[in-house]
Amino acid sequence: MAKKAPRRTAERILEVTLDLFNRFGEPNVSTTLISAELNISPGNLYYHYPAKDELVNSLFDRYERALDELLNAAGGVRDVEDAWFFMHTLFELIWQYRFLYRDLNDLLSRNRRLETHFQDVLKNKTRAVRALLDGMGRSGAMRIDSREIEATSASMVVVLTYWLSYEYVRDPRRALEPEAAQQALLRGAHHVLHLLVPYLESAQRTHLLQLAGAYGEGR
């Protein structure tokens, strides 16, 4: 049993670090603060994660694995109902690791590994959105000219990537607090999917508006 203790400590460090990064922003959280929150010595923290970037990278690796698994489901989207669930689930994952998006430009400027890996994240998101559009097109839920798919996919990925930044600018004091999460995620899902309105079949367009209203989007 004693051999498992370091692993439990390492996991606990990541859990607490994620919470602190999300609450205060990664640049505002020092390893000293993390140690104090965990009630462990700085030396114990450094034993598991010798540098702050290793904490960031470990959390990003977790996010990337969960994201890849979720994006693989994009090809199964057939209608607005599926797309709404997919987008909301995607936003929930982004919210879980929101420090990455809150401090994205700063993190990329300081962390070469994140810089290269986040480019892959964007590519994978774009590939997943294209698969979503293809599935909805094949099922008859929407009609979109093949020449418009690339620009539409890129626009959807931009909203996905920077929605939380937009929410933060709108309301810096409350936007990234847990009590604001649900409405922020619903607004994000709605605005991403709203880009598809010109291409949706009539019944699907109506259903999207009903979903947004039913879940209280925009309140």
Side-chain angles (χ1 to χ4, degrees):
M1 294 298 291
K3 293 182 179 179
K4 295 183 179 180
R7 184 175 303 170
R8 289 200 298 270
T9 301
E11 292 293 316
R12 179 62 179 154
I13 290 171
L14 286 183
E15 291 170 4
V16 169
T17 300
L18 178 59
D19 179 62
L20 292 173
F21 282 177
N22 283 340
R23 285 164 56 195
F24 303 114
E26 181 272 341
N28 301 316
V29 176
S30 65
T31 53
T32 301
L33 176 60
I34 296 170
S35 299
E37 188 75 11
L38 286 157
N39 196 28
I40 63 175
S41 68
N44 197 356
L45 176 63
Y46 297 149
Y47 171 79
H48 295 282
Y49 300 98
K52 186 178 173 183
D53 271 353
E54 293 197 23
L55 288 164
V56 173
N57 292 340
S58 295
L59 289 171
F60 177 79
D61 288 345
R62 287 185 167 195
Y63 166 72
E64 193 172 29
R65 287 193 296 270
L67 180 66
D68 288 344
E69 183 177 348
L70 175 56
L71 293 181
N72 287 335
V77 173
R78 292 292 178 266
D79 53 27
V80 160
E81 186 86 27
D82 292 344
W84 180 272
F85 178 76
F86 175 80
M87 285 298 170
H88 191 264
T89 305
L90 183 51
F91 270 110
E92 285 182 334
L93 179 61
I94 290 172
W95 178 267
Q96 185 180 352
Y97 292 89
R98 59 192 176 277
F99 83 93
L100 291 169
Y101 289 84
R102 171 178 178 168
D103 306 306
L104 181 57
N105 291 351
D106 182 64
L107 282 168
L108 296 186
S109 70
R110 293 186 287 105
N111 189 313
R112 176 61 179 167
R113 185 170 182 273
L114 253 64
E115 178 186 344
T116 56
H117 277 249
F118 221 93
Q119 291 172 3
D120 291 335
V121 165
L122 292 181
K123 291 176 184 176
N124 291 338
K125 284 182 181 177
T126 302
R127 189 179 302 115
V129 169
R130 287 174 179 162
L132 180 149
L133 297 180
D134 182 60
M136 292 181 70
R138 285 187 283 105
S139 71
M142 62 181 290
R143 291 186 180 181
I144 183 170
D145 191 301
S146 59
R147 293 170 294 183
E148 297 182 86
I149 289 178
E150 183 175 352
T152 302
S153 299
S155 295
M156 294 173 74
V157 171
V158 168
V159 177
L160 271 169
T161 302
Y162 289 101
W163 183 257
L164 290 185
S165 295
Y166 173 73
E167 289 280 348
Y168 183 75
V169 172
R170 286 179 69 241
D171 188 0
R173 295 181 182 275
R174 295 181 298 175
L176 299 185
E177 296 301 317
E179 60 270 18
Q182 190 62 15
Q183 287 304 313
L185 302 185
L186 291 170
R187 281 192 295 269
H190 177 241
H191 283 278
V192 173
L193 293 179
H194 192 76
L195 293 168
L196 301 183
V197 164
Y199 314 109
L200 293 174
E201 293 300 316
S202 178
Q204 290 290 299
R205 187 181 306 117
T206 299
H207 188 44
L208 175 59
L209 297 176
Q210 290 173 339
L211 282 171
Y215 288 104
E217 192 283 324
R219 291 179 186 173

